[in-house]
């Protein structure tokens, strides 16, 4: 499937729905933190996060371990998922194609 342009009609709808949730402006919800701790425990990962993705930034809704609160969207695995509109597996064959984690971030 060819990559979708970030300015496509689907992206506009996605951004409207994301903004309408109010989650970008709210504090981390306890249920998300509990879910993330469960997933981290089950997978044995040192760091994990649940992200919301806007036009330019990955916002960690909740995170455990060494993970920034915000990172640039451009070139990230999350950017690939949004543009291609399909899952990206971070283990196995897809992992080699992942861009390196950005060091340009804010907490």
């Amino acid at each position: 499937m060819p990559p979708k342009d970030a300015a496509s009609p689907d992206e506009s709808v996605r951004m409207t729905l994301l903004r309408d949730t109010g989650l970008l402006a709210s504090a981390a919800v306890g249920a998300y933190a509990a879910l993330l701790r469960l997933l981290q425990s089950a997978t044995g990962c040192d760091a994990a996060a649940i992200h919301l993705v806007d036009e330019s930034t990955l916002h960690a809704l909740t995170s455990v371990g060494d993970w920034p609160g915000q990172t640039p969207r451009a070139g990230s695995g999350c950017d690939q998922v949004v543009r291609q509109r399909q899952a990206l597996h971070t283990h196995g064959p897809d992992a080699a194609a992942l861009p390196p984690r950005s060091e340009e971030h804010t907490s």
Side-chain angles (χ1 to χ4, degrees):
M1 170 183 272
K4 295 275 186 177
D5 185 296
S8 73
D10 290 343
E11 177 69 354
S12 296
V13 170
R14 188 188 72 79
M15 288 307 309
T16 297
L17 292 171
L18 176 61
R19 286 190 187 99
D20 287 351
T21 68
L23 290 172
L24 287 174
S26 68
V29 179
Y32 291 108
L35 174 62
L36 189 61
R37 285 192 303 275
L38 174 66
L39 294 171
Q40 183 193 27
S41 174
T43 62
C45 292
D46 293 333
I50 296 175
H51 287 102
L52 298 177
V53 182
D54 70 13
E55 299 98 332
S56 62
T57 307
L58 310 181
H59 301 269
L61 184 60
T62 187
S63 62
V64 290
D66 181 26
W67 204 275
Q70 296 180 344
T71 57
R73 172 180 160 176
S76 70
C78 291
D79 190 40
Q80 287 180 291
V81 169
V82 171
R83 288 177 178 277
Q84 296 176 4
R85 298 179 45 94
Q86 62 186 34
L88 176 68
H89 301 279
T90 58
H91 297 285
D94 286 347
L98 285 173
R101 193 167 125 191
S102 173
E103 294 302 320
E104 299 173 17
H105 60 266
T106 59
S107 300

